[in-house]
C-alpha cells in the first residue's frame, strides 16, 4: 500500500506516543527492580521454560530451538520488557539503550524473514506453505504477538530522525503485510486462544495509527469484532476459559487486563466479565499459592507482591497474589462452575486458624469442551490439606516432538511424541479411572462439555458429583467427599451398557514428598514434614472384590508411571497406586483416605447397592468414628457415629 512516508512521520510525531501495550501476563515494569531486570536481559540473554537465548544481539539463531521457545523468539517476546522500558523509564540513556537493542533484534528478523516476502501479495500466500518454508516465522499466533511490537517500534522510529525514511518505509510495509496476513481467514485461528492473541495484537497495532493512517480503521474494526466474538466463544457463560487449563485462564486474563488498561477494551459488559474471570482465577490458586496444574499448566507460585496484585479488581485474588499484603483473604466456601466443568472447595478444619495457607482444598476438573489443551484427565482432582499437597496432577511437561499424522497416538489425540509429554497427558497419570489400559480419546469424539452435576457443602464436608460417558457406552458416576483435616472418600461407579468385560483401574498419585507403601490391601503414606509437622495417611478400599495394586514410584519400564512435572521439561518421581477390577457388571470403587495411623472399617455397617446409588461407610480413625451415607442424586449425609 502506498504511503507518503515523510507526511506519515510528521503526523505520528505531532501526537503523544501511546505507551507500549501491556498484553503480557505480568506488567513487570512497575516493580522496583525493573531496570536491573532489563540490564540482566541484555547481559545474560533470555530464558524461558528451560531454554536459553544467550544474547539478543544479531545474528539471532532463529532455527536453533524447538516449538514453544522458537515461537516466542519469532513473536519477539524477548523484546516486551525492553520496549516497555524504552518508554516508561525516566533515564533517557537507558531508554535509548533498550530501544536500540530491541530494534537490532527486530531488524535481524525482518531482514531474514520479512524481506524475502515483502513484495508478495498476502492474499496469494498459503499458511501451510509459509509455515513449511519459514517455520514459526509466520505461525498464526506468532504473527499476532509480533504485530503490536512491530507497531510500537515503527511508532518510535518515526519520531527519531537518526532513522532514515527507507527504514521507516520498510517497517511500515512490514506492518501492512502483517495486517493483511492476519485479515485472511486462512491465517486466523478462531478455534483456540491463538485467535484471541491475533485479534488483540492486531487491534493494538491498528489503534496505534488509527488517527494518522486511513488504512488502520478497517483493521481496528475487523480486530474488534473478532475479539468480541472470540471472548464469547472461548469463555463459558460462567467466565472460565475453555482450554482446560488454569494456566491458560491466567495467561489470557492477564492479556485482557493489559488491553483494558491501555484502552483497547472499554465495553462495560466485557469489563464485568473480566472481573468474573478474576474471581474464577482466585479459586484456581491452592493454599500454598501455586496455581492448580490441571491440563497444560506449569507449576507457578502466583505471589507477585502488592504493587502487581493491584492490577486485579477482585479483592480475594489481590490477597492471594500479594500474600495478604492487599485485598481480603478468602473465606471458606465451595465454587461450582457448572458450565465450565470445574469444582473447587476451600474449607477449614475446626482446629486451624482461618488463613489461606491453612485451608483444606479440593479441585476437580470435569470438562471436555474441545481437543485444545485437553489432557485425558476426565473427572480427575487434586487434594491439598494440612499445609501440603497430597494427591496431585502431573502438569504439562512440555510441547515436545510431533506425533505422526495417522498414527495410533495421533488418533487418540496425542499431538506430541516425547514419551514424557505423552505420560503427562495420559489417563494413567491422573487421579481418575482408566478403562482397559487406554487413555480417554480426545480426537474424533464428541466433547461432553461439563460433567459436573453437583458441588456443595454438606455438614461441613465438600461434596461433588460428576457424570460422564466414555467410549460411547460406558457411564461413569464419581462422588468426592472431603471433610477438612479429616478424610477424603472417592466413590466411582462405571458400567458398559453393552455388557462387555472391561479392566477398570482407579488411580491415585501422591505428591513427591510422600513415602507410600502397601501391606496387603492397606496403603500407608508418611510425610516427614520439612517445615510442617510430620503426617500419616491410611488408605483402604471398601469394595471386597476390588484388588489393590502395588505402589509404583518413578517407573520407566515397561511404561512411565509415577512421575510429576515439577517445572517445564522436567519430571521427578512420585508414588502412585491403583485399585483394579475386571467385570462386565457395574464396576464399583470406594476408596477412603484418613489422616492418622489408625483406620478400622466397620464391615457390618459399610455397604453399597449394586449401582452405588445408596450406601454408607462407617469407620474409626485417630479422630473418632464417622459414618457417611450416600443417596444419589442427593448429596452425601455425614454423621458422627
Amino acid at each position: 500500500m502506498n504511503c507518503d512516508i515523510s507526511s506519515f512521520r510528521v503526523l505520528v510525531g505531532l501526537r503523544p506516543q501511546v505507551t507500549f501495550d501491556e498484553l503480557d501476563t505480568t506488567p513487570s515494569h512497575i516493580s522496583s527492580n525493573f531496570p536491573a531486570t532489563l540490564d540482566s536481559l541484555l547481559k545474560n540473554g533470555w530464558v524461558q521454560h528451560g531454554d536459553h537465548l544467550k544474547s539478543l544481539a544479531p545474528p539471532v539463531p532463529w532455527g536453533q530451538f524447538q516449538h514453544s521457545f522458537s515461537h516466542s523468539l519469532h513473536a519477539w517476546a524477548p523484546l516486551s520488557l525492553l520496549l516497555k522500558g524504552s518508554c516508561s523509564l525516566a533515564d533517557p540513556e537507558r531508554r535509548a539503550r533498550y530501544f536500540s537493542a530491541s530494534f537490532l533484534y527486530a531488524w535481524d528478523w525482518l531482514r531474514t524473514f520479512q524481506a524475502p516476502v515483502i513484495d508478495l501479495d498476502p492474499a496469494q500466500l498459503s499458511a501451510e506453505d509459509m509455515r513449511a518454508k519459514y517455520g514459526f516465522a509466520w505461525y498464526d499466533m506468532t504473527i499476532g504477538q509480533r504485530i503490536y511490537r512491530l507497531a510500537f517500534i515503527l511508532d518510535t522510529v518515526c519520531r527519531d530522525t537518526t532513522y532514515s525514511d527507507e527504514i521507516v518505509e520498510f517497517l511500515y510495509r512490514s506492518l501492512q503485510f502483517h495486517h493483511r496476513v492476519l485479515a485472511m481467514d486462512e491465517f486466523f485461528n478462531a478455534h483456540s486462544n491463538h485467535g484471541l492473541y491475533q485479534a488483540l495484537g492486531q487491534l493494538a497495532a491498528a489503534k496505534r495509527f488509527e488517527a494518522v493512517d486511513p488504512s488502520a480503521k478497517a483493521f481496528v474494526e475487523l480486530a474488534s469484532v473478532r475479539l468480541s466474538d472470540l471472548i464469547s466463544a472461548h469463555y463459558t457463560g460462567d467466565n472460565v476459559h475453555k482450554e482446560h487449563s488454569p494456566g491458560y485462564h491466567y495467561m489470557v486474563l492477564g492479556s485482557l487486563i493489559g488491553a483494558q488498561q491501555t484502552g483497547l477494551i472499554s465495553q462495560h459488559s466485557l469489563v464485568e466479565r473480566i472481573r468474573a474471570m478474576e474471581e474464577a482465577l482466585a479459586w484456581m490458586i491452592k493454599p500454598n499459592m501455586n496455581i492448580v496444574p490441571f491440563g497444560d499448566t506449569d507449576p507457578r507460585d502466583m505471589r507477585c507482591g502488592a504493587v502487581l496484585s493491584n492490577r486485579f479488581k477482585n479483592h480475594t485474588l489481590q490477597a492471594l497474589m500479594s500474600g495478604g499484603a492487599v485485598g481480603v483473604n478468602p473465606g471458606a466456601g465451595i465454587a461450582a462452575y457448572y458450565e465450565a466443568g470445574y469444582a473447587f472447595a476451600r474449607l477449614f478444619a475446626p482446629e486451624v486458624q482461618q488463613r489461606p495457607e491453612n485451608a483444606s482444598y479440593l479441585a476437580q476438573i470435569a470438562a471436555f469442551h474441545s481437543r485444545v489443551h485437553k489432557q485425558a484427565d476426565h473427572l480427575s482432582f487434586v487434594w491439598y490439606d494440612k499445609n501440603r499437597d497430597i494427591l496431585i496432577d502431573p502438569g504439562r511437561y512440555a510441547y515436545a516432538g510431533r506425533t505422526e499424522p495417522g498414527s495410533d497416538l495421533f488418533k487418540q489425540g496425542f499431538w506430541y511424541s516425547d514419551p514424557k509429554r505423552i505420560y503427562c497427558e495420559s489417563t494413567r497419570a491422573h487421579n481418575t479411572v482408566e478403562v482397559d489400559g487406554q487413555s480417554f480419546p480426545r480426537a474424533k469424539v464428541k466433547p461432553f462439555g461439563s460433567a459436573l452435576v453437583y458441588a456443595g457443602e454438606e455438614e461441613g464436608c465438600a461434596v461433588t458429583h460428576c457424570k460422564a460417558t466414555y467410549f460411547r457406552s460406558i457411564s461413569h458416576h464419581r462422588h468426592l467427599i472431603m471433610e477438612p483435616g479429616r478424610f477424603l472418600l472417592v466413590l466411582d461407579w462405571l458400567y458398559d451398557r453393552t455388557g462387555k468385560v472391561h479392566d477398570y483401574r482407579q488411580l491415585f498419585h501422591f505428591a513427591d514428598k510422600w513415602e507410600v507403601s502397601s501391606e496387603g490391601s492397606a496403603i500407608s503414606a508418611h510425610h516427614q514434614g520439612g517445615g510442617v509437622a510430620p503426617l500419616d495417611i491410611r488408605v483402604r478400599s471398601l469394595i471386597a472384590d476390588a484388588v489393590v495394586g502395588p505402589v509404583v514410584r518413578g517407573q520407566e519400564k515397561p511404561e512411565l508411571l509415577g512421575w510429576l512435572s515439577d517445572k517445564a521439561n522436567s519430571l521427578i518421581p512420585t508414588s502412585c497406586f491403583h485399585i483394579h477390577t475386571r467385570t462386565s457388571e457395574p464396576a464399583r470403587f470406594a476408596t477412603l483416605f484418613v489422616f492418622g495411623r489408625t483406620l478400622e472399617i466397620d464391615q457390618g455397617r459399610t455397604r453399597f447397592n449394586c449401582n452405588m446409588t445408596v450406601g454408607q461407610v462407617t469407620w474409626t480413625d485417630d479422630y473418632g468414628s464417622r459414618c457417611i451415607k450416600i443417596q444419589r442424586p442427593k448429596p452425601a449425609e455425614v454423621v458422627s457415629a
Side-chain angles (χ1 to χ4, degrees), residues 216-230:
K217 182 178 180 180
F219 298 125
V220 169
E221 293 176 352
L222 173 65
S224 297
V225 170
R226 281 177 168 177
L227 180 61
S228 179
D229 291 344
L230 285 165

Side-chain angles (χ1 to χ4, degrees), residues 177-460:
F177 189 94
H178 279 65
H179 273 308
R180 294 170 67 194
V181 168
L182 285 175
M184 297 167 58
D185 290 339
E186 185 179 0
F187 279 86
F188 181 60
N189 191 341
H191 80 281
S192 74
N193 67 71
H194 293 198
L196 279 166
Y197 282 97
Q198 288 177 301
L200 276 174
Q202 184 165 37
L203 180 60
K207 283 188 73 71
R208 180 170 292 280
F209 298 109
E210 185 179 22
V212 299
D213 184 0
S215 70
K217 182 178 180 180
F219 298 125
V220 169
E221 293 176 352
L222 173 65
S224 297
V225 170
R226 281 177 168 177
L227 180 61
S228 179
D229 291 344
L230 285 165
I231 290 174
S232 296
H234 287 255
Y235 282 85
T236 60
D238 41 13
N239 297 298
V240 175
H241 196 249
K242 289 183 179 179
E243 294 189 7
H244 318 97
S245 165
Y248 276 97
H249 181 93
Y250 168 60
M251 180 184 76
V252 178
L253 172 60
S255 297
L256 293 175
I257 291 172
Q260 180 183 351
Q261 291 175 337
T262 51
L264 299 180
I265 293 176
S266 58
Q267 305 97 310
H268 176 74
S269 60
L270 186 49
V271 170
E272 290 302 308
R273 291 201 71 178
I274 290 173
R275 292 193 178 188
M277 295 171 197
E278 291 185 12
E279 180 179 352
L281 178 60
W283 284 104
M284 297 173 182
I285 299 175
K286 298 187 296 182
N288 62 359
M289 308 309 163
N290 277 265
I291 194 166
V292 177
F294 285 144
D296 287 340
T297 303
D298 288 323
R300 180 190 183 104
D301 190 324
M302 299 296 284
R303 287 170 290 195
C304 58
V307 175
L308 291 176
S309 299
N310 275 322
R311 69 195 295 249
F312 300 101
K313 303 303 181 185
N314 181 273
H315 296 314
T316 299
L317 186 58
Q318 288 177 343
L320 290 170
M321 299 193 74
S322 69
V326 297
V328 179
N329 283 334
I334 310 286
Y337 288 91
Y338 288 108
E339 187 175 339
Y342 285 95
F344 303 96
R346 187 183 285 118
L347 301 175
F348 295 91
E351 69 274 12
V352 305
Q353 185 180 6
Q354 291 199 15
R355 295 184 54 80
E357 62 271 22
N358 296 332
S360 300
Y361 180 85
L362 186 70
Q364 186 173 22
I365 180 168
F368 183 15
H369 299 288
S370 71
R371 172 58 191 86
V372 181
H373 294 294
K374 170 62 180 172
Q375 295 191 359
D377 57 358
H378 301 348
L379 313 193
S380 187
F381 67 93
V382 299
W383 179 33
Y384 182 103
D385 208 334
K386 295 184 179 291
N387 306 99
R388 72 205 81 195
D389 285 305
I390 302 174
L391 298 178
I392 51 91
D393 189 275
R396 181 182 73 98
Y397 181 69
Y399 303 135
R402 280 290 187 181
T403 49
E404 187 70 26
S407 65
D408 288 341
L409 282 171
F410 189 86
K411 290 176 181 178
Q412 293 177 52
F414 290 94
W415 301 156
Y416 303 101
S417 60
D418 188 298
K420 296 175 182 178
R421 166 65 184 187
I422 292 172
Y423 171 74
C424 287
E425 286 191 59
S426 69
T427 297
R428 69 176 181 272
H430 296 88
N431 300 312
T432 186
V433 179
E434 181 188 67
V435 182
D436 295 332
Q438 301 179 55
S439 287
F440 298 125
R442 293 155 290 156
K444 298 188 182 301
V445 292
K446 183 179 179 180
F448 54 68
S450 170
L452 181 63
V453 176
Y454 174 81
E457 185 176 350
E458 305 293 334
E459 300 294 328

Side-chain angles (χ1 to χ4, degrees), residues 391-582:
L391 298 178
I392 51 91
D393 189 275
R396 181 182 73 98
Y397 181 69
Y399 303 135
R402 280 290 187 181
T403 49
E404 187 70 26
S407 65
D408 288 341
L409 282 171
F410 189 86
K411 290 176 181 178
Q412 293 177 52
F414 290 94
W415 301 156
Y416 303 101
S417 60
D418 188 298
K420 296 175 182 178
R421 166 65 184 187
I422 292 172
Y423 171 74
C424 287
E425 286 191 59
S426 69
T427 297
R428 69 176 181 272
H430 296 88
N431 300 312
T432 186
V433 179
E434 181 188 67
V435 182
D436 295 332
Q438 301 179 55
S439 287
F440 298 125
R442 293 155 290 156
K444 298 188 182 301
V445 292
K446 183 179 179 180
F448 54 68
S450 170
L452 181 63
V453 176
Y454 174 81
E457 185 176 350
E458 305 293 334
E459 300 294 328
C461 291
V463 179
T464 73
H465 175 205
C466 296
K467 177 184 178 182
T469 300
Y470 314 136
F471 305 104
R472 297 186 177 181
S473 60
I474 300 176
S475 295
H476 181 194
H477 284 267
R478 162 164 278 196
H479 275 93
L480 303 179
I481 305 171
M482 178 197 75
E483 183 175 353
R486 298 293 188 270
F487 71 84
L488 173 71
L489 178 61
V490 183
L491 305 173
D492 288 297
W493 177 90
L494 300 97
Y495 179 59
D496 188 338
R497 64 176 181 266
T498 68
K500 292 181 180 179
V501 176
H502 293 287
D503 284 297
Y504 300 98
R505 293 192 177 199
Q506 188 190 47
L507 302 146
F508 298 102
H509 298 261
F510 277 87
D512 60 295
K513 300 300 183 183
W514 288 89
E515 301 167 0
V516 186
S517 60
S518 62
E519 184 175 346
S521 62
I523 298 289
S524 300
H526 177 72
H527 193 288
Q528 293 186 358
V532 291
L535 185 63
D536 289 282
I537 287 178
R538 294 294 180 264
V539 188
R540 290 288 297 275
S541 170
L542 308 176
I543 304 298
D545 57 357
V547 178
V548 178
V551 174
V552 175
R553 184 179 181 90
Q555 175 181 292
E556 297 182 11
K557 301 290 184 181
E559 60 184 9
L560 294 176
L561 186 61
W563 297 92
L564 162 69
S565 179
D566 59 324
K567 58 185 177 181
N569 296 291
S570 173
L571 289 183
I572 60 174
T574 61
S575 296
C576 66
F577 71 97
H578 73 269
I579 300 171
H580 170 259
T581 189
R582 176 179 172 83

Side-chain angles (χ1 to χ4, degrees), residues 93-217:
E93 183 178 337
R94 282 185 177 274
R95 293 201 306 269
R97 183 192 318 151
Y98 301 144
F99 182 79
S100 177
S102 300
F103 175 82
L104 292 174
Y105 178 100
W107 194 250
D108 187 64
W109 186 94
L110 290 164
R111 288 189 305 171
T112 305
F113 299 102
Q114 181 68 84
V117 297
I118 192 68
D119 293 321
L120 299 180
D121 179 2
Q124 304 302 316
L125 301 178
S126 160
E128 184 176 345
D129 290 345
M130 291 287 282
R131 175 71 185 276
K133 188 172 183 179
Y134 298 107
F136 278 101
W138 297 104
Y139 184 53
D140 53 22
M141 186 170 172
T142 307
I143 305 169
Q145 292 187 304
R146 185 172 59 236
I147 189 173
Y148 75 96
R149 293 160 177 151
L150 170 62
F152 180 80
I153 290 174
L154 171 60
D155 190 2
T156 304
V157 166
C158 281
R159 302 166 189 271
D160 188 340
T161 57
T162 62
Y163 293 95
S164 67
D165 281 355
E166 288 74 19
I167 289 176
V168 173
E169 181 179 12
F170 188 82
L171 291 172
Y172 178 84
R173 291 181 65 196
S174 177
L175 180 63
Q176 290 294 319
F177 189 94
H178 279 65
H179 273 308
R180 294 170 67 194
V181 168
L182 285 175
M184 297 167 58
D185 290 339
E186 185 179 0
F187 279 86
F188 181 60
N189 191 341
H191 80 281
S192 74
N193 67 71
H194 293 198
L196 279 166
Y197 282 97
Q198 288 177 301
L200 276 174
Q202 184 165 37
L203 180 60
K207 283 188 73 71
R208 180 170 292 280
F209 298 109
E210 185 179 22
V212 299
D213 184 0
S215 70
K217 182 178 180 180

Side-chain angles (χ1 to χ4, degrees), residues 26-104:
T26 304
S28 302
H29 67 281
I30 59 179
S31 65
S32 58
N33 64 343
F34 184 52
T37 299
L38 298 184
D39 290 341
S40 176
L41 180 60
L42 292 185
K43 180 180 179 181
N44 302 314
W46 190 64
V47 177
Q48 183 189 64
H49 301 322
D51 284 313
H52 183 198
L53 176 66
K54 294 182 179 179
S55 174
L56 273 63
V60 178
W62 301 106
Q64 180 176 321
F65 302 97
Q66 297 296 317
H67 202 76
S68 295
F69 195 74
S70 180
H71 151 70
S72 296
L73 295 185
H74 284 281
W76 302 357
L79 304 188
S80 278
L81 297 182
L82 293 172
L83 293 175
K84 194 64 180 181
S86 75
C87 64
S88 64
L89 295 178
D91 184 350
E93 183 178 337
R94 282 185 177 274
R95 293 201 306 269
R97 183 192 318 151
Y98 301 144
F99 182 79
S100 177
S102 300
F103 175 82
L104 292 174

